Amino acid sequence: MNIHNISESKAEKEKNNKTPYYFEEPLHDLAKILDFSMDLICSCDEEGRFIWVNKASERILGYKPEELIGKKYSDFIFDEDTDIPINVNIDFRSETHLPIFEKKFIHKNTSIIYLQWSVVRDDVKKMCYCIGRDITEKKNIEKAFEIERLQFFNIYSQAPSYMVILKGPEHVYELANELYLQLIDKKDIIGKTVKEVLPELETQGIFEILDNVYKTGESFSANEMPITFDRYSYGKLKDVYLNFIFQARRDAHNNIDGIFIFGNDVTEQVLSRKKIEESEKMYKDLIHKLPVATYSCDAEGRIVLYNKAAASLWGREPELGKDLWYNSWYSNDAKKKQAAPLNLCSLGTTLKEGDPILNKEIIIKRPNGDKRNVLPHPVPFYNADGEITGAVIVLSDITEMKLAQKELRKSEKKYRYLFDNNPMPMWIIDLLSFKFLDVNKMAILQYGYSREEFLSMTALDIRPNDDKIHFIKSSDTSKIDKSNYNRGIWNHIKKDGTIVPVEIIAHNIVCEGTAARLILSNDISDRKKAETNLEKRNRELIKTNSELDRFVYSVSHDLRSPLTSILGLISFIETESKEIDTLKHAELIRISINRLDDFIKNILSYSRNNRTGLEIEQITVNEMVLDIVDSLQRMKEAKGIRYEIDIKEQKPFYTDNLRFTTILKNLISNAIKYHKKEEHDRFVKIFGYSDHENLHFSIFDNGIGIDPAYHQKIFEMFFRLSGKNGSGIGLYIVKDAIEILQGSIEVQSEKGAGTKFNITLKNLKSC
């Protein structure tokens, strides 16, 4: 065995390599293997100095191993980075096994390298073995991904459209931006299914669409689709219109794992468009329904809309969007009868400058050669920028007016002749100033003023001073009460001072563009005298009637008083006397006196009927008929007569009590008086009904009847049938009273077969 002292050699080598000798051999063998590693593999002492580094250091950090050995790893750390978890310093003395951590290093070319380290400590050798994996590309990808994620989140959260990500087949909300939350008016939806959040969508087919997109991967899009949301969660639904797309989301393995939703709420646009469409429809309907010719055109003058009246005026129907406005009329100067430049026409000026020329008359020539005088009234349309986009034109057909004006001019001469030669005084006054504008020859002749004098005066100047005061307000003598002036009958004063009453007939007219009044004056002096005489005669008649009333009352009173006394004496004779002849004579006297008394009563009734006013009151018809029948039972002819009374009072009946009583008494008493004595079943029937308008009733008996030849004569005054003892005034009074009560009466009778009177009386107070 040869023994060599290598202490000095080892010491020298250790001095040169700065590496403990006892580390050199194992590392030398291991280095050959580890140099092929893609990761940076090294060993460090307790101070953090590199002891050994594999060749990967040149590829990863840009330094050769010999450039790193002996230097601290901290010299190559990027210490300006604020990412503390990556650059925290590791104390190699404190732990036997360090966790995996990341650090940023500075490459030789000054770029930043990310290394992921794993460290194992050897307490015996007082050193650490380290492996550093280059994760720069990974970190750059992560950083790029984070940047992309932040950009996506910014777009997602600030996008002007709503965005939603649903996860899984149950469509669970994974993301939803603020616009979507505002759309559905919900919060805290993440992690919940669409069915939980929006159950109202089930009946609208949305869930079926989502399921189909998730299963097939086929996108679904919709424009202006109406969706109803229960936005307040208490059943109050609100309709919105949405543009949206449902698109399948795929994972790294291209499997569908959710749905991406992107959309816009276009409710305002849809509603605005609908309002615009409604406005356009109303506008078009208005144009079509206008009774005057109306059409519209665009800025280029192309006709886009017209109504039937316009087509009728043109005599043809233009082609929309093609025919120009000047193809639809024949633009002629109405006065010069020659073609006018189109740019000077009212519509041409309107489309060019926006300032329409009004009252510019044109002539439209129809295809059949007919020409119409027209006044166009164009109105320009402007957009938001103030640009003219078109116009609407109303065409007023003034052909007939022009013809009428022509005829009017022709008739002016006739009017002048008729005005000047009218047999009544006529003049025209200004409605504001009351000055005379024109007078005719008869006014000059009758009033005595010359034409020049009339034209220098006002209508008040021909009124007497007392009349003027009535029409001039005390507070302002310049203002005249025009509402009454020149209406009715007034006094006029002639030039010679004579005052005459005149009747004024006034008509408002337009004279040379001024509001005026045409007045005819009729002298009514003779009529006034006649009216004065008539008033005098009326007063005399009233006096005569009053005296006649007093006479009738006096006669009836003075005659009836002695008749009553005579009837008393006759009753005394009939009681005391036993002589048959005397009793017979007394009976004859009584009959004559009763007949005279009835006549006096009828005369008094007639007088009251004609001179007494109506006193309307409610009548209970059945009760009144019963009372009258009861009062007539004292008549000797009433014995043995049967009465049937049936009047259905369906509505309250109003009439004059006195006259109604007179009618009933006369007709019922006649039915009793002229009955057949030999009949066994004698009757008087009274029946009828009252309605809203009238009382209808009939009085029917089976008495002696009336020959049809006398049906009209029986209502004449003092007419009596041959052999009858009546006064001849009763039925006359009945008919007269019925006419006053606005009724009618007719008779149905045959001689020997009874009589029926049908009466209708108006209900004088409507219910």
Side-chain angles (χ1 to χ4, degrees):
M1 173 183 286
N2 293 321
I3 298 173
H4 299 282
N5 186 356
I6 62 172
S7 300
E8 293 182 4
S9 176
K10 287 184 177 180
E12 185 65 25
K13 189 172 185 179
E14 181 177 351
K15 181 179 179 182
N16 294 332
N17 294 335
K18 298 180 182 180
T19 302
Y21 174 73
Y22 52 84
F23 290 133
E24 183 175 358
E25 292 181 3
L27 290 176
H28 180 72
D29 296 333
L30 184 60
K32 292 180 181 180
I33 299 171
L34 297 182
D35 279 338
F36 292 101
S37 175
M38 297 297 292
D39 296 330
L40 177 62
I41 301 173
C42 64
S43 58
C44 297
D45 62 14
E46 290 180 322
E47 299 300 326
R49 292 185 179 88
F50 290 107
I51 298 173
W52 180 85
V53 182
N54 71 345
K55 291 183 178 181
S57 64
E58 188 173 1
R59 180 181 59 80
I60 295 174
L61 294 176
Y63 295 98
K64 295 180 179 180
E66 56 268 24
E67 291 179 291
L68 296 176
I69 293 173
K71 295 181 180 178
K72 288 185 178 183
Y73 81 96
S74 58
D75 294 338
F76 301 94
I77 292 178
F78 181 67
D79 57 3
E80 294 181 2
D81 201 326
T82 59
D83 194 354
I84 301 304
I86 294 178
N87 291 317
V88 64
N89 291 322
I90 303 300
D91 186 358
F92 292 104
R93 300 186 183 91
S94 63
E95 299 183 27
T96 58
H97 181 77
L98 298 177
I100 296 175
F101 59 93
E102 296 176 0
K103 285 187 178 295
K104 290 182 182 179
F105 284 79
I106 302 174
H107 194 276
K108 191 174 184 178
N109 62 8
T110 70
S111 63
I112 305 301
I113 304 299
Y114 290 85
L115 295 179
Q116 186 182 61
W117 293 95
S118 61
V119 180
V120 177
R121 179 178 176 79
D122 188 341
D123 292 328
V124 176
K125 295 181 179 181
K126 304 299 184 181
M127 59 183 297
C128 293
Y129 301 101
C130 307
I131 300 176
R133 175 166 293 176
D134 186 357
I135 59 171
T136 303
E137 186 176 355
K138 174 188 173 186
K139 297 299 285 187
N140 288 338
I141 291 173
E142 289 178 353
K143 188 174 182 180
F145 175 78
E146 181 63 20
I147 292 172
E148 289 293 331
R149 190 187 69 81
L150 289 175
Q151 289 178 347
F152 170 77
F153 182 78
N154 289 334
I155 294 173
Y156 169 79
S157 59
Q158 300 177 18
S161 304
Y162 68 81
M163 299 171 66
V164 182
I165 296 177
L166 303 178
K167 185 178 181 181
E170 298 299 323
H171 314 306
V172 177
Y173 284 104
E174 184 176 317
L175 286 175
N177 67 352
E178 184 62 27
L179 278 182
Y180 182 77
L181 298 178
Q182 292 176 6
L183 173 69
I184 65 175
D185 198 28
K186 298 286 191 301
K187 303 292 183 182
D188 302 325
I189 67 172
I190 303 304
K192 299 178 182 179
T193 65
V194 178
K195 285 188 178 181
E196 290 180 273
V197 178
L198 302 172
E200 64 269 21
L201 297 183
E202 184 170 4
T203 58
Q204 303 178 54
I206 300 300
F207 297 150
E208 289 81 353
I209 297 173
L210 290 172
D211 291 340
N212 186 64
V213 173
Y214 189 84
K215 291 176 182 178
T216 65
E218 296 179 0
S219 299
F220 177 85
S221 62
N223 289 323
E224 298 182 0
M225 184 173 180
I227 302 292
T228 302
F229 291 113
D230 185 3
R231 302 190 70 172
Y232 306 103
S233 300
Y234 53 80
K236 188 175 182 180
L237 302 178
K238 181 174 182 180
D239 292 332
V240 296
Y241 293 88
L242 303 177
N243 290 346
F244 63 87
I245 181 170
F246 294 168
Q247 188 171 7
R249 187 185 71 170
R250 299 178 183 273
D251 59 16
H253 303 290
N254 202 32
N255 295 322
I256 297 174
D257 67 348
I259 296 176
F260 177 77
I261 301 175
F262 178 88
N264 290 290
D265 184 354
V266 293
T267 304
E268 291 186 5
Q269 297 92 310
V270 172
L271 295 181
S272 298
R273 190 187 70 245
K274 287 187 175 182
K275 287 182 180 179
I276 293 172
E277 290 172 353
E278 290 175 1
S279 298
E280 289 180 350
K281 184 178 183 301
M282 291 175 61
Y283 163 71
K284 290 180 180 179
D285 289 343
L286 177 63
I287 294 293
H288 285 300
K289 292 178 181 179
L290 282 175
V292 295
T294 309
Y295 71 103
S296 63
C297 65
D298 60 17
E300 303 300 324
R302 291 185 291 266
I303 296 175
V304 295
L305 181 65
Y306 65 91
N307 63 3
K308 291 182 179 179
S312 176
L313 178 61
W314 295 327
R316 71 183 191 90
E317 293 189 0
E319 186 175 347
L320 295 179
K322 184 177 180 181
D323 281 1
L324 298 170
W325 61 270
Y326 51 79
N327 296 139
S328 301
W329 61 21
Y330 176 72
S331 180
N332 266 15
D333 190 309
K335 294 182 179 179
K336 297 181 179 180
K337 304 297 182 182
Q338 62 185 12
L342 292 174
N343 60 350
L344 296 181
C345 293
S346 56
L347 183 56
T349 305
T350 300
L351 292 176
K352 183 179 179 181
E353 303 174 3
D355 187 15
I357 300 175
L358 301 178
N359 301 320
K360 180 75 173 181
E361 182 182 330
I362 65 164
I363 296 176
I364 288 180
K365 185 176 181 181
R366 292 171 173 170
N368 62 3
D370 185 21
K371 294 181 180 180
R372 307 295 292 179
N373 297 84
V374 173
L375 273 179
H377 303 274
V379 178
F381 293 150
Y382 296 90
N383 61 14
D385 298 324
E387 299 172 341
I388 297 174
T389 59
V392 62
I393 306 95
V394 177
L395 301 177
S396 299
D397 188 347
I398 59 172
T399 307
E400 280 70 24
M401 184 185 74
K402 296 282 287 186
L403 294 175
Q405 289 175 347
K406 187 176 180 180
E407 292 298 322
L408 182 61
R409 287 192 294 271
K410 290 182 180 179
S411 64
E412 284 181 352
K413 292 183 180 179
K414 295 180 181 179
Y415 156 76
R416 188 76 247 175
Y417 176 82
L418 293 174
F419 180 78
D420 282 337
N421 295 279
N422 195 289
M424 293 177 63
M426 297 176 65
W427 55 79
I428 299 173
I429 62 170
D430 187 305
L431 275 178
L432 296 177
S433 64
F434 278 74
K435 293 188 66 175
F436 285 99
L437 300 177
D438 200 359
V439 293
N440 71 348
K441 294 177 181 178
M442 187 56 68
I444 295 171
L445 178 65
Q446 288 198 6
Y447 283 79
Y449 300 103
S450 67
R451 179 179 177 83
E452 290 73 18
E453 288 175 322
F454 262 118
L455 297 182
S456 66
M457 297 162 56
T458 70
L460 285 179
D461 293 331
I462 60 172
R463 303 292 297 274
N465 289 331
D466 292 341
D467 273 2
K468 288 181 187 179
I469 296 173
H470 177 69
F471 294 100
I472 301 177
K473 296 182 179 180
S474 59
S475 61
D476 187 352
T477 56
S478 66
K479 294 182 180 179
I480 303 171
D481 184 357
K482 300 168 187 167
S483 62
N484 292 322
Y485 186 71
N486 282 343
R487 293 181 183 275
I489 297 175
W490 310 105
N491 291 325
H492 278 178
I493 183 169
K494 297 182 179 180
K495 187 174 182 179
D496 61 7
T498 304
I499 296 176
V500 294
V502 295
E503 182 180 26
I504 294 300
I505 303 173
H507 296 282
N508 290 341
I509 62 172
V510 176
C511 180
E512 298 179 355
T514 302
R517 181 174 288 166
L518 173 65
I519 299 172
L520 288 80
S521 173
N522 182 27
D523 188 343
I524 57 171
S525 300
D526 294 339
R527 194 173 82 187
K528 279 288 188 180
K529 291 178 182 178
E531 288 176 353
T532 301
N533 293 334
L534 183 61
E535 288 177 0
K536 182 178 179 181
R537 292 194 63 186
N538 283 339
R539 288 194 296 271
E540 291 175 353
L541 286 174
I542 291 171
K543 180 181 178 183
T544 301
N545 286 335
S546 177
E547 292 173 350
L548 181 60
D549 286 341
R550 289 196 298 272
F551 172 76
V552 169
Y553 176 79
S554 176
V555 168
S556 63
H557 183 270
D558 293 345
L559 286 178
R560 291 196 68 201
S561 294
L563 289 178
T564 304
S565 300
I566 294 172
L567 287 173
L569 291 174
I570 291 174
S571 297
F572 179 74
I573 293 172
E574 289 175 338
T575 303
E576 297 293 331
S577 177
K578 302 294 183 180
E579 297 180 4
I580 296 174
D581 290 341
T582 300
L583 294 174
K584 186 181 295 185
H585 293 158
E587 176 65 19
L588 293 174
I589 294 171
R590 178 184 292 280
I591 291 171
S592 297
I593 291 173
N594 284 335
R595 188 167 62 192
L596 179 60
D597 188 48
D598 287 342
F599 181 77
I600 293 171
K601 288 179 182 178
N602 284 333
I603 290 295
L604 185 59
S605 177
Y606 170 74
S607 176
R608 281 193 304 235
N609 188 50
N610 282 277
R611 305 180 195 284
T612 306
L614 290 175
E615 295 184 10
I616 309 301
E617 59 183 288
Q618 185 176 348
I619 303 297
T620 306
V621 181
N622 278 296
E623 289 183 7
M624 179 172 284
V625 172
L626 288 172
D627 290 343
I628 292 174
V629 169
D630 186 61
S631 68
L632 295 176
Q633 294 307 301
R634 291 175 294 175
M635 296 175 62
K636 66 178 182 178
E637 296 92 343
K639 187 176 181 181
I641 295 178
R642 175 173 57 85
Y643 300 93
E644 293 183 17
I645 301 171
D646 183 19
I647 297 179
K648 295 178 174 58
E649 299 181 64
Q650 300 172 354
K651 297 289 182 181
F653 178 65
Y654 292 84
T655 191
D656 182 89
N657 193 327
L658 176 63
R659 289 176 174 83
F660 187 58
T661 302
T662 300
I663 294 167
L664 290 176
K665 273 190 174 182
N666 274 281
L667 292 177
I668 296 174
S669 64
N670 281 350
I672 294 172
K673 188 185 300 182
Y674 300 112
H675 229 299
K676 297 177 182 178
K677 297 180 180 180
E678 65 277 6
E679 288 287 334
H680 296 293
D681 184 22
R682 298 192 298 160
F683 63 81
V684 174
K685 298 180 180 180
I686 305 168
F687 55 90
Y689 65 93
S690 63
D691 56 26
H692 180 76
E693 298 291 338
N694 300 292
L695 169 66
H696 307 270
F697 70 97
S698 299
I699 299 177
F700 178 39
D701 64 64
N702 57 348
I704 63 176
I706 303 171
D707 192 311
Y710 303 112
H711 283 185
Q712 297 301 320
K713 291 183 175 293
I714 58 175
F715 296 109
E716 296 178 2
M717 182 178 283
F718 301 126
F719 177 80
R720 290 185 295 176
L721 291 172
S722 177
K724 305 302 177 186
N725 295 324
S727 63
I729 197 173
L731 288 178
Y732 175 81
I733 293 172
V734 167
K735 187 173 183 181
D736 193 45
I738 288 174
E739 289 176 351
I740 291 174
L741 297 181
Q742 302 180 45
S744 63
I745 183 172
E746 66 173 10
V747 59
Q748 296 176 348
S749 182
E750 294 288 341
K751 188 173 182 179
T755 303
K756 181 180 180 182
F757 286 97
N758 298 316
I759 302 98
T760 299
L761 297 178
K762 184 176 181 180
N763 192 341
L764 297 180
K765 183 177 181 182
S766 299
C767 299

